[in-house]
Amino acid sequence: MIRDITIGQYYPAQSPIHKLDPRVKLFATLIYIIALFSYKGIAGVLFIVAALAAVIKISKVPFKFMVKGLKSIIILLLFTACFSVFFTQGEYTIWEYGILHISDTGLINAATMMIRLVLLIIGTSLMTLTTTPNQLTDGLEKSLGFLNKIHVPVHAIAMMMSIALRFIPILIEETDKIMKAQMARGADFEHGNIIKRAKSMVPLLVPLFVSAFRRADDLAMAMEARCYNGGEGRTKMKPLVYEKDDKIAYLFIFAFLAVVIVLRILLPVNLGNLIFR
Amino acid sequence: MNQTETIDYKHGTTYAITVTALMTAVTCILAPLSIPIGPVPISLTNLAIYISLYLLGWKRGTISYLIYLLIGLVGIPVFSGFTGGPAKLAGPTGGYIIGFIAMAIIAGLVIDHFHQPWLQLIGMIVGTIICYVLGTAWFCFEAKSTVSGALSICVFPFIPGDLIKMIIAMLIGPAIKKRLR
């Protein structure tokens, strides 16, 4: 049920990747996503796969944790791939039946989309598996610090993230209690048609929202009693500091992007072009 | 504490931060859930957004959703189906998740400025249409899909559920708000 939700997907281990500053990992993930949308041709894919494999190896996170994220996307992946294969016009039609046909472009598009999506999920889950949510929140606050200059309240955003993260398990427990209390009074959350299901949500949602508002009220009062008055002048218990490994990691990140761009320019050959020409 | 101070207090910055954060937490709890009726699961994401807009106003409601996005971005499994991480946002259905921001702004503005339920419903419908447009555009780009293909997969099956959620929000949003005063 609701209780089964695990906060975060962090996999604890002692590895160089785990120890990196969260800002480095946020930046690396951003560059990785840019690379996935920038590469062209088979050489680019192979290089990205090799780089990803190397980082996974270094991180000591078991590969099966990486592929776990693929489960949620598999149906969408197959649906979209089928649409692409059967409904895309191309230069060479391999098979045809009414409005359905298989062409070279359809196959290439489907393969490209599937590869990119799989690499996207595996690669970006590295960040979430090797960094705790609180570290990432700190990293985000620092990384978005430049937005202060255009009046974006970065500290308030980070504070809201931290508060929300802290209250998720508390409110989950609250939701569970409310459900049990309402079931004890005869509510049925699991049967009936769509209208009945919708009605049964009301005795759950209303007390949940009311409870959240009361907690917000109490929390605000408690924070102000502790002399909280915004981000100005605050210090941090665990400040983020770059170390030598972080700087080395930045060099690797830029080198990675440079190679992807060079391969795009020099070797844009698609495997499909070789097969169908 | 007398009544005047209570009223002033509720408009303070700290209260704004905590109430937005708590609403974000509620969104994080409701959004991953879905009601398994029929082949298309009905997600509670936009229901949570609509109710936040009723309770917080369009500005804080939208900020609440943005914080939820950031939390999902850093890997907490708060997106539909208990998923999370940057891949969800950068993937083919990420456009809909981003599109919810536009939906929140449009629906929130209408909900704030009009008190007639049917006008609020229209605001939510318009916001949802904008969300569909953004999501479909991104899906076509990312998945190299046709517009009709994207609509068939990502929009048409969800329309009935979305309409029902709007009606629910229209009914219970004001009820909750009344209870909080």
Side-chain angles (χ1 to χ4, degrees):
Chain A
M1 196 196 271
I2 294 175
R3 274 185 166 280
D4 293 341
I5 187 176
T6 56
I7 296 300
Q9 306 171 59
Y10 180 70
Y11 180 87
Q14 294 298 318
S15 84
I17 306 295
H18 282 76
K19 291 186 181 116
L20 286 176
D21 191 291
R23 288 173 289 180
V24 176
K25 283 178 269 194
L26 281 166
F27 185 69
T29 303
L30 177 67
I31 293 297
Y32 179 78
I33 292 175
I34 291 174
L36 279 182
F37 285 101
S38 300
Y39 82 81
K40 185 172 283 187
I42 191 68
V45 178
L46 292 179
F47 175 69
I48 292 176
V49 170
L52 180 61
V55 178
I56 291 176
K57 184 74 174 179
I58 296 173
S59 71
K60 298 182 185 173
V61 177
F63 189 66
K64 66 173 190 276
F65 279 79
M66 298 289 173
V67 293
K68 209 166 58 169
L70 292 174
K71 268 193 305 181
S72 63
I73 206 80
I74 199 75
I75 292 178
L76 178 73
L77 209 61
L78 293 179
F79 260 52
T80 311
C82 287
F83 259 89
S84 193
V85 168
F86 288 115
F87 291 101
T88 305
Q89 294 284 354
E91 277 184 62
Y92 305 91
T93 301
I94 300 166
W95 172 85
E96 198 158 23
Y97 184 80
I99 61 171
L100 301 181
H101 52 267
I102 301 177
S103 71
D104 60 323
T105 305
L107 288 175
I108 292 170
N109 284 355
T112 303
M113 185 269 295
M114 293 182 78
I115 290 171
R116 175 178 286 132
L117 195 49
V118 168
L119 288 178
L120 182 69
I121 289 179
I122 294 180
T124 54
S125 67
L126 244 183
M127 179 184 78
T128 57
L129 285 162
T130 60
T131 320
T132 67
N134 281 318
Q135 284 174 337
L136 284 169
T137 304
D138 280 347
L140 269 177
E141 183 179 7
K142 284 285 197 126
S143 300
L144 300 178
F146 65 92
L147 293 179
N148 269 316
K149 297 187 170 69
I150 53 171
H151 303 299
V152 174
V154 175
H155 165 77
I157 289 171
M159 178 64 75
M160 285 186 270
M161 277 186 77
S162 297
I163 295 174
L165 284 172
R166 177 60 60 86
F167 272 92
I168 290 173
I170 293 173
L171 290 179
I172 284 177
E173 202 171 316
E174 182 96 7
T175 305
D176 198 44
K177 280 181 188 171
I178 295 171
M179 284 185 84
K180 287 188 163 72
Q182 298 293 17
M183 281 191 282
R185 306 168 82 185
D188 184 359
F189 292 107
E190 290 175 3
H191 299 104
N193 59 30
I194 193 166
I195 302 298
K196 203 170 284 184
R197 293 288 203 106
K199 281 185 180 175
S200 71
M201 294 303 297
V202 175
L204 173 66
L205 293 178
V206 176
L208 178 60
F209 277 96
V210 172
S211 164
F213 266 75
R214 288 182 185 155
R215 289 182 189 275
D217 208 358
D218 292 345
L219 178 62
M221 200 173 304
M223 284 170 68
E224 294 197 335
R226 286 171 170 77
C227 303
Y228 175 84
N229 54 18
E232 294 282 321
R234 290 194 80 222
T235 58
K236 192 174 279 282
M237 197 168 90
K238 299 174 183 175
L240 296 177
V241 180
Y242 282 125
E243 293 177 12
K244 194 170 79 172
D245 283 358
D246 299 313
K247 290 161 185 163
I248 294 174
Y250 270 124
L251 289 180
F252 276 112
I253 293 166
F254 283 115
F256 167 81
L257 184 63
V259 172
V260 170
I261 293 175
V262 168
L263 287 178
R264 175 194 169 95
I265 297 171
L266 296 183
L267 283 173
V269 178
N270 204 313
L271 198 61
N273 300 136
L274 299 177
I275 294 176
F276 294 109
R277 290 290 186 263
Chain B
M1 181 180 289
N2 63 46
Q3 191 64 38
T4 302
E5 284 175 282
T6 302
I7 293 175
D8 289 341
Y9 173 75
K10 290 253 182 184
H11 289 80
T13 301
T14 307
Y15 179 74
I17 288 176
T18 57
V19 78
T20 305
L22 266 288
M23 208 47 48
T24 298
V26 172
T27 304
C28 291
I29 291 167
L30 296 178
L33 303 176
S34 64
I35 303 176
I37 291 183
V40 180
I42 298 175
S43 158
L44 297 186
T45 307
N46 42 358
L47 177 62
I49 296 171
Y50 297 138
I51 297 179
S52 295
L53 295 171
Y54 271 98
L55 302 181
L56 297 182
W58 79 271
K59 205 169 285 187
R60 290 181 190 170
T62 304
I63 291 176
S64 168
Y65 182 69
L66 286 169
I67 304 295
Y68 159 86
L69 277 189
L70 284 176
I71 288 175
L73 178 75
V74 303
I76 311 294
V78 293
F79 295 142
S80 60
F82 295 98
T83 57
K88 200 68 183 181
L89 287 174
T93 54
Y96 295 97
I97 302 177
I98 301 294
F100 280 147
I101 301 173
M103 181 186 81
I105 294 172
I106 294 170
L109 283 168
V110 175
I111 289 170
D112 279 2
H113 288 89
F114 300 101
H115 297 296
Q116 300 94 325
W118 63 276
L119 279 179
Q120 292 172 341
L121 183 64
I122 290 176
M124 286 188 270
I125 291 175
V126 173
T128 303
I129 291 174
I130 301 295
C131 172
Y132 287 157
V133 171
L134 293 174
T136 301
W138 175 251
F139 189 91
C140 291
F141 166 77
E142 164 77 339
K144 299 184 200 294
S145 170
T146 60
V147 172
S148 59
L151 291 175
S152 302
I153 297 175
C154 300
V155 173
F156 294 148
F158 294 91
I159 290 177
D162 284 352
L163 286 175
I164 291 175
K165 279 176 274 181
M166 291 177 206
I167 294 172
I168 293 174
M170 186 184 76
L171 295 174
I172 76 176
I176 299 177
K177 191 165 189 179
K178 197 169 303 179
R179 201 166 303 203
L180 292 172
R181 289 196 178 137

